[in-house]
Amino acid sequence: MRWSLVRVSLAVTAMVVIAFAVPLGLVVKELARDRALTNAERQAAAIAPALAITTDREQLERAVATTQAGALRRIALRIPATRSTAAVRIGQPRAAQPALDAASARGEAATVRVAGGYALLRPTAVGSGTIAVVEVFVPDGDVTRGVATAWLVLAGVGLALIVGSVAVADRLGSRMVRPAVRLARAAHRLGEGDLAVRVPEAGPGELRSAAAAFNAMADQVVHLLAAERELAADLSHRLRTPLTVLRLNTASLGRGPAADQTRAAVAQLEREVDQIIRAAREQRVPAQAAGCDAAEVITERMAFWSALAEDEAREVRTAGADRPVRVPVPRTELAAALDAMLGNVFRHTPEGTAFAVDVHRSDDAVVVLVSDAGPGVADPAAAVRRGHGDGGHGSTGLGLDIVRRVAESAGGGMTIGRGVLGGAEIRLRLALGGDPAPAAPGHRRRGKAVRPVPGGDP
């Protein structure tokens, strides 16, 4: 907008300057020509009294010499011969003879173009009854004297006007654009998660209205996020009652691996609920740990799920978890992602279906594969669409979305395809190049697109 205003001002001012300067320059040129010819007319008129008194050559030469043009040899005099007098010619005429004869015959002054300038021809009556012609030569230098200087002055004034108009337009444009720039910067900061950013309501009326609308939108976003946090805290707090009942019931389970695992799961669930409540009340994103050992987390979660696998006669295989594998993901988040993937195996495959968990490490990433021998995933795109799971009763459709977000938080991604066991294979890739920038509160950072790998179900 700023440069548009400058260009418009430049164009308008240039047109105005041209419209006035060009005609004014032509007028100046014409005035200089008229001034030079008027001066020549006065020089010619100065000889008229002498011609009225005498036609003597010597006296006329002295009269011509007393004039300024005569001293410069720019005056020529021609008196035609009569019966009693001879013709008189003084000076060197520059006009052609036909022009002299025409001026003498008409008795009117005339100006003709000659080499190097103009010749003013002024007929004058003499005592002998004939018409003498006085010729005054006007060089081109006299005709154009002062024209170049006047044109330079006009050009300088025009240029000053253009520069001044551009400067004024630039100042006005900057005053108009500055609020728009502030609004754009504030929008970027709000998009990056700075919920405290506001815009001063200044500038033109339209931009003040836009700033007021932006501030109202930012206040509404803060209000909605606060309401979302409170809702999350309230919903999490409601889980305390059934968790308390579960914890009390687990006390009556006695001793044994299954009872210990149940009590550990209830305790972990209580810790997760407490963490969600604290994070929501403090209005911040839970602090991210530096990372964890993926092999240790996989071993722990497989030990938890192995009891259920044994009850359902499922064959389980684990590979690559026998040595430490550090990943830039918090322990709780990686455990939640593994539970989501393994829970899908138990939920969407019949009892007795085998599954496997494999860990592969390269120089730049760690890949966790969870595969099964079930029917596979018919529509991978729908499976990862948040809230659109097809697991039937009890399924919220958030499991694979959790896995995807964990992968994206580490700069990786998730793919769904068909594995070596013949069923579905979920590939969780965690990049090792460095932790990405944390997402803003209430904002879910987008990462790589989830797509089926070649060979997967359509």
Side-chain angles (χ1 to χ4, degrees):
M1 181 185 296
R2 178 179 178 182
W3 293 115
S4 298
L5 290 175
V6 170
R7 287 193 293 268
V8 170
S9 176
L10 177 62
V12 172
T13 307
M15 287 188 294
V16 171
V17 168
I18 292 174
F20 282 93
V22 172
L24 189 58
L26 296 177
V27 169
V28 169
K29 182 180 179 181
E30 191 64 25
L31 289 175
R33 180 177 181 275
D34 291 343
R35 183 180 63 249
L37 295 177
T38 301
N39 183 57
E41 181 72 21
R42 288 198 302 268
Q43 298 289 327
I47 304 176
L51 289 173
I53 297 173
T54 182
T55 57
D56 182 68
R57 182 184 184 86
E58 293 181 359
Q59 293 181 3
L60 292 176
E61 287 179 350
R62 284 196 297 268
V64 169
T66 59
T67 63
Q68 181 182 4
L72 297 175
R73 299 182 181 277
R74 294 179 180 175
I75 294 181
L77 180 60
R78 172 181 176 269
I79 302 176
T82 64
R83 294 180 180 179
S84 58
T85 60
V88 178
R89 295 180 181 274
I90 299 175
Q92 181 64 35
R94 289 177 170 82
Q97 189 63 40
L100 295 172
D101 295 340
S104 178
R106 289 194 300 267
E108 296 178 355
T111 302
V112 296
R113 180 69 178 173
V114 297
Y118 294 87
L120 174 65
L121 305 179
R122 188 177 189 278
T124 303
V126 297
S128 60
T130 60
I131 302 297
V133 178
V134 180
E135 176 189 314
V136 181
F137 173 67
V138 182
D140 288 332
D142 291 351
V143 174
T144 60
R145 181 174 292 119
V147 174
T149 302
W151 283 5
L152 288 176
V153 172
L154 289 175
V157 172
L159 182 61
L161 289 175
I162 292 175
V163 172
S165 67
V166 169
V168 172
D170 182 68
R171 291 294 300 274
L172 293 177
S174 63
R175 292 182 58 185
M176 295 179 60
V177 172
R178 193 178 299 118
V181 173
R182 286 199 300 262
L183 183 61
R185 291 176 179 173
H188 285 297
R189 290 175 57 188
L190 182 63
E192 293 172 356
D194 186 2
L195 301 181
V197 63
R198 295 295 184 272
V199 181
E201 298 179 12
E206 295 80 0
L207 293 178
R208 287 198 302 270
S209 300
F214 175 85
N215 293 335
M217 179 192 68
D219 293 337
Q220 184 68 11
V221 169
V222 173
H223 174 73
L224 292 176
L225 290 178
E228 182 181 354
R229 296 189 190 98
E230 291 299 326
L231 179 61
D234 293 343
L235 293 177
S236 301
H237 192 272
R238 294 178 186 178
L239 296 177
R240 285 184 178 274
T241 299
L243 282 177
T244 302
V245 175
L246 288 176
R247 181 165 53 80
L248 294 176
N249 290 338
T250 56
S252 62
L253 293 179
R255 296 294 178 181
D260 293 340
Q261 290 178 358
T262 303
R263 283 189 284 269
V266 173
Q268 180 183 357
L269 185 56
E270 285 184 320
R271 289 193 299 271
E272 294 289 345
V273 171
D274 291 340
Q275 182 180 2
I276 293 175
I277 295 175
R278 285 195 300 271
R281 294 300 184 188
E282 295 173 3
Q283 297 187 358
R284 62 179 177 85
V285 179
Q288 298 294 317
C292 66
D293 183 359
E296 180 181 350
V297 175
I298 292 173
T299 301
E300 175 187 334
R301 302 317 299 160
M302 288 299 293
F304 173 82
W305 289 97
S306 61
L308 183 57
E310 183 178 354
D311 292 341
E312 295 186 359
R314 295 177 181 269
E315 181 182 351
V316 181
R317 178 179 61 82
T318 305
D322 53 348
R323 58 184 183 277
V325 181
R326 295 291 301 180
V327 293
V329 176
R331 181 186 185 89
T332 56
E333 292 191 7
L334 181 59
L338 287 171
D339 287 343
M341 291 188 290
L342 294 174
N344 281 340
V345 173
F346 284 90
R347 185 178 297 111
H348 300 299
T349 61
E351 295 186 8
T353 302
F355 67 94
V357 178
D358 300 313
V359 183
H360 303 279
R361 176 168 183 171
S362 61
D363 294 336
D364 60 346
V366 172
V367 178
V368 179
L369 301 176
V370 177
S371 55
D372 59 64
V377 180
D379 189 353
V384 298
R385 193 176 303 127
R386 183 175 177 83
H388 290 76
D390 57 354
H393 179 71
S395 175
T396 62
L398 301 180
L400 293 182
D401 183 72
I402 294 174
V403 178
R404 179 186 59 78
R405 287 190 288 114
V406 169
E408 292 176 356
S409 69
M414 183 192 74
T415 56
I416 301 176
R418 186 169 295 277
V420 294
L421 297 181
E425 178 185 81
I426 303 176
R427 180 185 297 264
L428 175 64
R429 184 180 183 276
L430 307 174
L432 301 178
D435 295 338
H443 175 72
R444 200 172 75 187
R445 190 178 66 84
R446 307 301 298 174
K448 297 181 180 178
V450 179
R451 57 181 177 80
V453 297
D457 289 345

